[in-house]
Amino acid sequence: MAAIASRKQEHVEIAVQRDVAFEQTTSSFEQYGFEHNALPELNFEDVNPATEFLSVPLSFPLMVSGMTGGYADAERINGMLAEVCEDARIAIGSGSQRQVRENEEFVSTYTILRKMAPSVPVIANIG
């Protein structure tokens, strides 16, 4: 059980401290040239990216989904992410619930999402 918490913390540390970009794998878009057209005939005021997800109105179709949760510092990280999502009206995901199913020691690292984001959808990967 401690191994999962350690692995989860290691994932976050790698993402923060190392260059995790692909060195050789690409999207292949470099093979194509696109003509820029910034939609000049469109009035930005007429664009409304708002949507609805799980019957909840959101500011736009984006979801912040994490791999955090299940180790000591994840509560702080998830709390900040959830607060931003609540303020911006964006759905949020908790990442894998495997850790909390096996050990309730870090349950607060998951429940902080609903506490800090009470009105946006919170989804989870059950593992």
Side-chain angles (χ1 to χ4, degrees), residues 27-68:
S27 65
S28 299
F29 281 116
E30 71 277 359
Q31 298 176 37
Y32 305 97
F34 296 97
E35 183 177 324
H36 177 70
N37 181 354
L39 304 172
E41 68 281 358
L42 195 64
N43 183 348
F44 189 71
E45 306 297 320
D46 295 337
V47 177
N48 181 3
T51 190
E52 196 173 280
F53 178 62
L54 301 175
S55 301
V56 177
L58 299 174
S59 59
F60 49 93
L62 175 76
M63 177 180 294
V64 172
S65 182
M67 63 181 183
T68 57

